[in-house]
Amino acid sequence: MCDDSPGSLTPHTHPEPPPGLSRRAVAAAGPGLLIASALGGSTGAIAPGAAWGSTGRPRTGASRTSRVTKGTVLLHADMHNHTLLSDGDGKPGRAFASMRSAGLDVAALTDHATLSDNLLGDVLAGILPAEYKGVAGITQGDWARTGRLADAADKDGRFTAIRGFEWSEPLIGHVNVWFTEHYVDVLQAGLMEPLLTWLRREPGLVLDGGRGGLAGFNHPGREPGRFQEFTFDPKARKHVVSLELFNRGDDYLFEGYADGLSSPLVACLAAGWTPGILGVTDEHGTDWGFPEGKGRTGMWVKEHSRAGVKEAMRKRRFFATRTSGLRVDATATSLRNHGRTARMGRPLRHRRGPVHFRLDLARDRSWIGRDLEVQVLRPGNDVPEVADVIPFKVGPVVDFTVPIRYGEGEWICLRIADPSEPNASPGPDDHPCNNAGIAYTSPWYLNPEV
């Protein structure tokens, strides 16, 4: 069994962060401003929390304990949601309560940051019609309000509420950012580097920054620029921790393939990024957390708190699904490398030879005996290669071994699928992943020197 035991638990408090001083409040914005877009307490001890209904009975779903690792507990999370503060329909004051009552343990509000963070942003927000918010996104006042709402909803050990923002460039893509004191909007059209530089920079009195925050690529490939084809900054790699493959009801594995583009998963990892795989609702309505069939994330945490969630995200210890209450965990062991074992999302010391996988998947009794399959995804030229497909019935831990060669690619990802249902966004004819995805593990990253 892979040991991921927690250290000592310490108290955490969450004072409201100051609104900060934007660099655009210090100096006038230059000509690169994206005008084009306008045109177009207690310790975090684990407790049942929101996973239990008001009657005290647990909601539908698997237990929170892994059968293949130890030291962590499963939390159900949704890290991408919107309100009237940008282009959503719902009042922000209701969002966290809705997500908690829906059974989520972790939730984030991530309204759009586009071009409003300047001297006139808050003034104009009170003058212009509501449609302005859909184009221009949040202001400093909105950011402060989201922080107050998150702090009021956050309860260590029961519900983790997170303030974030969605950096939104309409042509090259959207990026979620969490755990920062400040936010940043789009200053230069068509460029990723200003955001990546901001993520690396310490906050200051004149220039703000996002150092210490975490970020992820949203609905990859929906915007035509695809993050400048996932332009890579090695200094920002540790900050970029996620790639959405389930967004709303969509599977993004083959996004753009019909138009001659490569899989976002292949392109992102080939560029040098090492994300985990996220599922999100990207909710724009008023029923945050409730619709079944939309993306969500399972996180394996050492403590139920903001610090615990951040640590799990940094370690890529999470999986994507569109099924509430699903439990997924997996380990990989290099059988020719002294039995080195790694949990999903982690580096695996392996050069060549057999790799043994252990997959724990469960939901409730109605799933026992259900016919599913696990697909072992590897790098390919345009779409993932599939090293093996292993049919299984939901119930016991699934054990299987696959030969893996480091020289054929540096990552492995497991996709769990239903062979009886089609993928609504298929790839090449006869590709094994043209069936309906149930879940994605975060990838293992091969390194013969780890």
Side-chain angles (χ1 to χ4, degrees):
M1 180 176 285
C2 179
D3 190 355
D4 205 355
S5 301
S8 59
L9 301 182
T10 54
H12 293 270
T13 59
H14 310 301
E16 180 183 345
L21 184 63
S22 165
R23 67 180 182 276
R24 284 148 318 271
V26 176
L33 256 175
L34 183 62
I35 301 302
S37 69
L39 302 175
S42 57
T43 67
I46 300 297
W52 291 61
S54 59
T55 62
R57 295 190 297 272
R59 298 180 186 274
T60 299
S63 77
R64 307 303 186 93
T65 304
S66 173
R67 294 179 290 178
V68 298
T69 63
K70 60 183 179 181
T72 57
V73 172
L74 173 64
L75 299 182
H76 299 296
D78 187 357
M79 302 299 292
H80 185 167
N81 291 280
H82 296 278
T83 74
L84 283 169
L85 294 181
S86 60
D87 62 346
D89 292 332
K91 294 181 179 179
R94 298 179 179 176
F96 285 120
S98 176
M99 289 185 277
R100 183 173 183 178
S101 66
L104 289 166
D105 309 293
V106 181
L109 289 185
T110 54
D111 277 301
H112 294 277
T114 55
L115 53 78
S116 295
D117 188 13
N118 54 63
L119 285 170
L120 297 179
D122 286 310
V123 175
L124 292 176
I127 299 173
L128 297 180
E131 288 77 11
Y132 170 81
K133 301 299 295 180
V135 174
I138 57 174
T139 67
Q140 290 287 353
D142 298 331
W143 179 243
R145 181 183 180 188
T146 304
R148 292 191 296 270
L149 292 172
D151 288 343
D154 189 61
K155 307 294 181 185
D156 278 357
R158 301 191 67 80
F159 183 74
T160 299
I162 297 169
R163 174 179 69 171
F165 67 94
E166 185 176 15
W167 181 89
S168 303
E169 210 283 0
L171 297 179
I172 64 172
H174 296 185
V175 175
N176 262 2
V177 181
W178 310 273
F179 304 109
T180 58
E181 179 181 348
H182 304 277
Y183 76 95
V184 68
D185 58 9
V186 178
L187 295 178
Q188 293 178 280
L191 293 179
M192 283 292 297
E193 190 54 40
L195 172 65
L196 301 177
T197 299
W198 183 85
L199 284 170
R200 303 195 314 264
R201 189 168 61 222
E202 289 282 0
L205 290 176
V206 177
L207 294 178
D208 62 31
R211 189 173 180 85
L214 302 178
F217 297 114
N218 294 352
H219 37 74
R222 194 187 75 179
E223 288 75 31
R226 301 211 314 176
F227 312 101
Q228 289 186 281
E229 281 306 302
F230 295 95
T231 186
F232 180 58
D233 181 346
K235 294 180 180 179
R237 176 162 51 188
K238 66 180 181 180
H239 300 289
V240 179
V241 301
S242 67
L243 175 74
E244 292 179 356
L245 284 188
F246 288 137
N247 179 289
R248 304 183 190 179
D250 299 321
D251 187 332
Y252 274 75
L253 181 64
F254 295 125
E255 179 69 18
Y257 175 78
D259 298 321
L261 300 176
S262 61
S263 162
L265 176 66
V266 170
C268 179
L269 275 58
W273 300 108
T274 55
I277 306 301
L278 210 63
V280 300
T281 68
D282 194 0
E283 185 59 55
H284 285 69
T286 60
D287 54 353
W288 302 272
F290 281 95
E292 188 67 27
K294 292 187 177 182
R296 59 188 64 218
T297 297
M299 291 187 181
W300 292 97
V301 304
K302 293 180 180 179
E303 64 175 34
H304 190 170
S305 67
R306 287 176 177 169
V309 169
K310 185 176 181 181
E311 189 269 344
M313 294 182 73
R314 284 182 53 248
K315 296 293 183 65
R316 282 67 161 169
R317 206 165 52 234
F318 52 87
F319 64 90
T321 184
R322 289 178 291 192
T323 301
S324 64
L326 193 71
R327 184 183 75 228
V328 175
D329 196 9
T331 62
T333 302
S334 176
L335 297 183
R336 286 190 183 175
N337 207 350
H338 308 291
R340 300 268 184 168
T341 297
R343 199 172 190 175
M344 61 181 181
R346 304 304 297 150
L348 174 65
R349 184 173 180 178
H350 179 80
R351 186 178 294 276
R352 62 180 177 272
V355 174
H356 182 75
F357 296 89
R358 305 201 76 210
L359 171 66
D360 175 22
L361 182 145
R363 186 177 186 253
D364 56 26
R365 293 191 179 191
S366 70
W367 276 52
I368 295 175
R370 181 175 176 178
D371 289 310
L372 298 178
E373 63 185 34
V374 55
Q375 302 153 351
V376 183
L377 307 189
R378 299 280 284 127
N381 291 328
D382 295 314
V383 296
E385 298 287 342
V386 179
D388 205 351
V389 177
I390 299 93
F392 70 96
K393 290 184 179 293
V394 177
V397 169
V398 185
D399 286 274
F400 57 96
T401 300
V402 180
I404 300 290
R405 187 180 182 88
Y406 171 76
E408 296 172 348
E410 299 181 5
W411 56 268
I412 313 164
C413 180
L414 302 184
R415 181 179 189 264
I416 296 91
D418 185 341
S420 69
E421 296 290 337
N423 186 344
S425 301
D429 291 344
D430 300 321
H431 195 282
C433 297
N434 284 345
N435 49 20
I438 300 293
Y440 288 91
T441 70
S442 287
W444 290 264
Y445 293 98
L446 301 181
N447 187 341
E449 308 302 328
V450 173

